[in-house]
Amino acid sequence: KQEVTQIPAALSVPEGENLVLNCSFTDSAIYNLQWFRQDPGKGLTSLLLIQSSQREQTSGRLNASLDKSSGRSTLYIAASQPGDSATYLCAVEAGDTNAGKSTFGDGTTLTVKP
Amino acid sequence: DAGVTQSPTHLIKTRGQQVTLRCSPKSGHDTVSWYQQALGQGPQFIFQYYEEEERQRGNFPDRFSGHQFPNYSSELNVNALLLGDSALYLCASSPAGTGLYEQYFGPGTRLTVT
């Protein structure tokens, strides 16, 4: 059974800091890993998708890496801003016969202080 | 493009009742997945529909059922509601193609069971 863990559960940083969020998963048989942000009481917004054959993806101030063999992904946020405050979730889509099933971590809640 | 839409936004039901939630996928998407998100936790995969058939299912009882229509929209039905069914129900859509595409989420339906 796939398990996804996100550390830390919460993080508070001053504006302008660079930060790293971590995601680990137990089963390396995945098709992809996706990072999302969620604002309180809202749906999820897709940030980055890394396919299993890729090592990293970049979008603006965000960079996500994937090490499938070790079951780890990191989301790097450069020059953080108060608007980055949200909960960040990672999800892995299962491979093989479980294709289509996505397993989420419980998220890291980020607060960026002005 | 309206993106993924869900209705209703909020719903209050009594234990033992039945509920139907609706989802319209993003234009061009034919795969719909449903998730349950309890407060403070990551979304839990309920099931995925493709070509009007349930393609994958998570660890949810048979009280949870779904349907996909020829226009790719989908419904989630929950029978014999329990207090523990209170959660945010999220719908996600993507194009067909295992592992290749991002999932796009709707704003969710907040279900409260009293």
Side-chain angles (χ1 to χ4, degrees):
Chain A
K1 176 189 171 188
Q2 179 73 269
E3 292 182 1
V4 179
T5 303
Q6 291 189 245
I7 294 173
L11 184 62
S12 180
V13 300
E15 182 176 3
E17 271 205 7
N18 303 324
L19 57 101
V20 174
L21 307 181
N22 297 292
C23 171
S24 61
F25 48 96
T26 55
D27 186 348
S28 61
I30 64 169
Y31 276 130
N32 65 49
L33 184 144
Q34 195 168 355
W35 283 93
F36 298 88
R37 71 173 277 168
Q38 185 174 33
D39 294 291
K42 305 293 185 183
L44 278 63
T45 300
S46 176
L47 298 173
L48 290 164
L49 172 75
I50 311 176
Q51 295 175 13
S52 61
S53 59
Q54 298 174 324
R55 295 295 296 240
E56 66 178 311
Q57 285 287 340
T58 298
S59 176
R61 295 183 293 109
L62 305 179
N63 176 275
S65 67
L66 173 64
D67 184 341
K68 203 172 75 162
S69 61
S70 68
R72 293 181 183 177
S73 176
T74 60
L75 178 66
Y76 175 82
I77 303 177
S80 58
Q81 303 171 356
D84 294 331
S85 298
T87 296
Y88 290 80
L89 295 149
C90 69
V92 294
E93 180 176 343
D96 299 326
T97 57
N98 289 314
K101 284 187 178 180
S102 287
T103 303
F104 279 80
D106 286 336
T108 294
T109 299
L110 172 66
T111 303
V112 181
K113 299 179 178 178
Chain B
D1 182 5
V4 180
T5 60
Q6 293 186 241
S7 62
T9 305
H10 295 89
L11 204 51
I12 300 175
K13 290 286 189 178
T14 304
R15 274 181 302 173
Q17 286 188 318
Q18 179 263 343
V19 68
T20 297
L21 310 182
R22 294 176 176 82
C23 171
S24 291
K26 183 178 169 65
S27 177
H29 290 186
D30 54 10
T31 302
V32 173
S33 301
W34 285 93
Y35 295 84
Q36 179 195 67
Q37 187 178 25
L39 204 59
Q41 297 182 16
Q44 298 288 317
F45 177 81
I46 302 175
F47 40 55
Q48 183 182 78
Y49 277 84
Y50 171 67
E51 292 189 340
E52 301 180 52
E53 301 233 342
E54 183 181 288
R55 184 162 70 173
Q56 288 288 357
R57 188 178 183 91
N59 295 325
F60 279 80
D62 293 344
R63 300 186 297 109
F64 289 78
S65 63
H67 188 78
Q68 185 178 35
F69 299 94
N71 66 353
Y72 309 123
S73 66
S74 178
E75 289 182 348
L76 164 65
N77 301 293
V78 187
N79 295 322
L81 284 167
L82 304 174
L83 294 179
D85 295 332
S86 295
L88 181 67
Y89 287 84
L90 295 163
C91 168
S93 73
S94 61
T98 303
L100 296 177
Y101 303 106
E102 296 170 85
Q103 292 189 81
Y104 288 84
F105 279 77
T109 294
R110 173 71 63 186
L111 172 65
T112 302
V113 182
T114 62

